[in-house]
């Protein structure tokens, strides 16, 4: 039987209109923190935001023309401004500039179109099956086989052809979906390439290769960091037989885009694209530190639940992120990476010897 492509499906009915938050997600019945944040903003705060946008526009230049020059001249200013949050109206462009994806796009004209239109992927049916699970409460992705779902399909299909070793893994949908809310299909595709292939920072394709090797490494590093930075909590986790694979895998696989409040995820992504994956470790440690006194009292079942459902006050970017920035992990992460590779190398060699 011939495989069905997404273009073979008719779009489903347009979902009935519902109240949306400022990012395009259907509002929940309970209080939405990001929406409450919008309503409570004063005129002076809006004025301050407009001043920030003007500063950013001056820093970027028309279409990003001044960006590289400004970064070379004032890297500390750029870092500080990114950590404060990129203005939402400029986020898509700035993400492309700081990730290196704009350069990839300019160097590869016509490649994305070729991958989407003329190539076939072994993952097409898997992608179609999973699409409706990606940001299902966002207006852009709600219509079955509608424009949003088709764009998401195209980006994921194109990547699965571009890198057949990685192909397609479900968690990739959240990365691509987040990017599509801020840029075109082609731009989102090249940003995905920049991330996974390592245009600026270390390649992240190991998050999605068979066996998820990079996830295993990150979880090892994170477990050691918890023991070192939060020894009392680390000891409690050991006693309750809690390890990071039970609560932190999605943090790394989707870079917090799966279950975190969207306004917080965006702020993390600003820094992630600029400074690399160390911000995921820092935010994870900051969360555990913020909730430390409650977590150390909980038995296994309640602990698992708490680690998957952090309280709303812990998810406030203006509280959590400064705490995360104050945690220094770069040197220790590198040491733990070498330790993991050394230990893992021994395991691989012993397995090979066992087969002989």
């Amino acid at each position: 039987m011939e495989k069905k492509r997404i273009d073979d499906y008719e779009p489903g009915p347009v979902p009935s209109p519902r109240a949306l938050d400022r990012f395009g997600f259907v509002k929940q019945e309970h209080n939405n923190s990001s929406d409450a944040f919008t309503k409570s903003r004063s005129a002076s705060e809006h004025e301050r935001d407009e001043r920030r946008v003007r500063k950013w526009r001056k820093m970027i230049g028309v279409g990003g023309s001044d960006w590289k020059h400004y970064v070379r001249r004032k890297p500390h200013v750029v870092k500080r401004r990114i950590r404060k949050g990129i203005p939402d109206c400029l986020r898509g462009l700035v993400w492309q500039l700081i990730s290196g994806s704009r350069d990839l796009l300019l160097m590869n004209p016509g490649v994305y179109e070729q991958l989407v239109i003329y190539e076939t992927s072994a993952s097409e049916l898997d992608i179609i099956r999973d699409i409706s699970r990606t940001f299902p409460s966002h207006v852009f992705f709600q219509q079955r086989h509608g424009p949003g779902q088709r764009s998401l399909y195209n980006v994921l299909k194109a990547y699965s052809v571009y890198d057949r070793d990685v192909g397609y893994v479900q968690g990739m949908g959240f990365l691509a979906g987040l990017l599509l809310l801020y840029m075109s299909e082609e731009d989102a595709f090249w940003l995905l390439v920049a991330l996974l292939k390592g245009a600026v920072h270390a390649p992240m394709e190991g998050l999605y290769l068979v066996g998820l090797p990079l996830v295993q490494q990150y979880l090892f590093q994170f477990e050691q960091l918890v023991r070192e930075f939060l020894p009392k909590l680390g000891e409690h986790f050991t006693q309750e037989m809690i390890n990071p694979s039970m609560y932190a895998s999605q943090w790394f696989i989707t870079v917090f885009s799966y279950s975190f409040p969207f306004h917080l995820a965006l702020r993390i992504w600003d820094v992630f694209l600029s400074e690399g994956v160390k911000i995921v470790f820092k935010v994870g440690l900051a969360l555990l530190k913020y909730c430390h006194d409650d977590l150390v009292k909980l038995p296994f079942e309640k602990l698992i639940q708490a680690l998957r459902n952090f309280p709303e006050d812990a998810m406030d970017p203006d509280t959590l992120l400064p705490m995360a920035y104050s945690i220094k992990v770069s040197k220790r992460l590198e040491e733990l990476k070498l330790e993991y590779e050394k230990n893992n190398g021994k395991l691989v060699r012993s397995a090979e010897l066992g087969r002989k």
Side-chain angles (χ1 to χ4, degrees):
M1 190 174 78
E2 191 179 344
K3 277 200 304 185
K4 275 203 167 190
R5 304 164 71 100
I6 197 151
D7 291 333
D8 298 328
Y9 294 91
E10 286 295 318
V14 177
S16 56
R18 294 168 70 182
L20 305 175
D21 70 10
R22 65 194 175 109
F23 295 114
F25 288 89
V26 174
K27 282 186 185 177
Q28 303 300 312
E29 293 301 315
H30 60 273
N31 179 41
N32 183 292
S33 57
S34 68
D35 204 48
F37 165 82
T38 307
K39 286 178 183 173
S40 65
R41 296 177 71 71
S42 65
S44 63
E45 286 173 313
H46 281 295
E47 200 173 300
R48 187 186 65 199
D49 286 349
E50 286 174 10
R51 283 199 303 272
R52 280 181 61 236
V53 171
R54 286 196 293 272
K55 281 182 184 177
W56 271 91
R57 288 194 190 281
K58 189 176 178 182
M59 188 164 75
I60 295 167
V62 178
S65 56
D66 295 338
W67 176 256
K68 288 181 180 177
H69 178 63
Y70 199 100
V71 170
R72 277 194 299 270
R73 281 196 308 122
K74 298 184 178 180
H76 297 299
V77 174
V78 173
K79 181 177 180 177
R80 187 179 73 245
R81 288 185 181 170
I82 288 173
R83 284 185 166 196
K84 285 182 177 177
I86 300 167
D88 205 55
C89 60
L90 299 173
R91 196 164 250 135
L93 173 59
V94 176
W95 281 3
Q96 292 170 63
L97 295 171
I98 60 182
S99 67
S101 70
R102 174 59 65 94
D103 294 333
L104 289 175
L105 170 69
L106 295 174
M107 289 188 291
N108 293 279
V111 170
Y112 176 71
E113 184 181 16
Q114 171 79 24
L115 293 169
V116 171
I117 297 174
Y118 300 108
E119 301 285 350
T120 58
S121 165
S123 304
E124 287 175 20
L125 289 178
D126 291 334
I127 296 169
I128 290 171
R129 183 196 65 215
D130 290 341
I131 273 178
S132 60
R133 302 172 190 173
T134 305
F135 297 125
S137 64
H138 195 282
V139 66
F140 186 54
F141 298 113
Q142 278 195 313
Q143 186 185 10
R144 187 164 172 76
H145 308 308
Q149 291 195 4
R150 284 170 187 258
S151 290
L152 183 56
Y153 168 84
N154 288 342
V155 171
L156 294 171
K157 181 240 175 171
Y159 192 86
S160 71
V161 174
Y162 179 84
D163 185 351
R164 293 187 187 271
D165 288 337
V166 170
Y168 164 74
V169 177
Q170 190 177 350
M172 294 167 68
F174 284 91
L175 272 66
L178 180 66
L179 298 176
L180 283 168
L181 298 179
Y182 284 90
M183 60 196 74
S184 71
E185 278 183 31
E186 189 173 18
D187 291 333
F189 168 77
W190 286 112
L191 209 157
L192 199 59
V193 172
L195 280 178
L196 270 59
K197 291 298 182 185
V200 173
H201 300 292
M204 294 183 68
E205 60 190 347
L207 289 174
Y208 306 110
L209 288 168
V210 175
L212 312 179
L214 197 54
V215 180
Q216 305 305 326
Q217 177 196 307
Y218 287 164
L219 293 176
F220 168 81
Q221 290 169 296
F222 190 72
E223 185 167 32
Q224 304 309 312
L225 290 173
V226 171
R227 288 175 179 168
E228 293 168 20
F229 281 85
L230 304 164
K232 191 175 176 184
L233 185 60
E235 178 60 30
H236 184 59
F237 281 172
T238 301
Q239 288 172 356
E240 295 296 329
M241 294 190 286
I242 297 283
N243 65 68
S245 66
M246 297 173 175
Y247 63 92
S249 297
Q250 287 289 355
W251 295 356
F252 293 105
I253 292 171
T254 70
V255 192
F256 293 118
S257 62
Y258 173 64
S259 58
F260 270 42
F262 197 68
H263 63 293
L264 173 58
L266 291 174
R267 291 283 302 276
I268 294 170
W269 269 73
D270 291 345
V271 182
F272 164 64
L273 292 172
S274 173
E275 300 182 30
V277 75
K278 64 184 178 184
I279 189 60
V280 181
F281 291 93
K282 291 181 170 197
V283 169
L285 289 169
L287 261 177
L288 296 182
K289 184 179 179 181
Y290 185 89
C291 301
H292 179 280
D293 293 349
D294 293 323
L295 294 174
V296 291
K297 299 171 189 170
L298 298 176
F300 179 83
E301 286 184 11
K302 289 185 178 178
L303 194 51
I304 285 289
Q305 193 174 358
L307 289 166
R308 293 174 181 170
N309 299 280
F310 287 95
E312 194 172 292
D313 57 320
M315 298 292 201
D316 177 1
D318 296 324
T319 302
L320 184 66
L321 293 181
M323 192 185 293
Y325 301 149
S326 72
I327 299 171
K328 307 302 178 191
V329 296
S330 298
K331 185 182 176 188
R332 193 68 186 114
L333 277 176
E334 193 55 41
E335 292 168 351
L336 289 167
K337 178 175 182 275
L338 294 173
E339 185 181 330
Y340 178 80
E341 287 172 348
K342 184 179 175 184
N343 295 342
N344 214 42
K346 286 178 183 175
L347 288 172
V348 170
R349 283 195 295 275
S350 62
E352 286 172 350
L353 288 170
R355 285 197 296 270
K356 286 181 180 178

